[in-house]
Amino acid sequence: MAAKLIRSCALMAALALAGCTPIDTGFGESVRANQALHVINPGPVADDVPIAASGERAAAAAERYRKGEVKPPATVTTTGSASASGGPPK
């Protein structure tokens, strides 16, 4: 009799808890949406033009680095902000 009472109480508790759990049919959609928000351009246009490279410019940049005469980076604009200079916001 005690075993039957324990089983029925366990069944009632399981049914009560099952009614409290939400059913989410879009598992992970919020995570994917947040990841997409942090991508600068999720669908970039691919250019078939190779990037221009110069051994002389690379050697000059390496030499400036060794001497501690590094040029500051240029201001870059993105689709998400007006400009970025590499430093903290003012």
Side-chain angles (χ1 to χ4, degrees):
M1 173 120 172
K4 189 174 184 180
L5 180 63
I6 292 174
R7 272 189 250 140
S8 63
C9 286
L11 177 64
M12 288 176 24
L15 290 174
L17 289 175
C20 296
T21 57
I23 299 174
D24 185 9
T25 58
F27 293 114
E29 285 182 15
S30 62
V31 173
R32 286 189 293 274
N34 287 334
Q35 287 174 343
L37 287 173
H38 288 90
V39 176
I40 291 176
N41 187 0
V45 178
D47 291 331
D48 292 334
V49 179
I51 298 172
S54 168
E56 292 175 7
R57 290 180 66 195
E63 190 62 30
R64 283 192 307 271
Y65 178 77
R66 283 189 209 107
K67 291 180 181 178
E69 302 169 351
V70 180
K71 294 179 180 178
T75 301
V76 178
T77 60
T78 65
T79 56
S81 65
S83 68
S85 61
K90 297 179 182 177

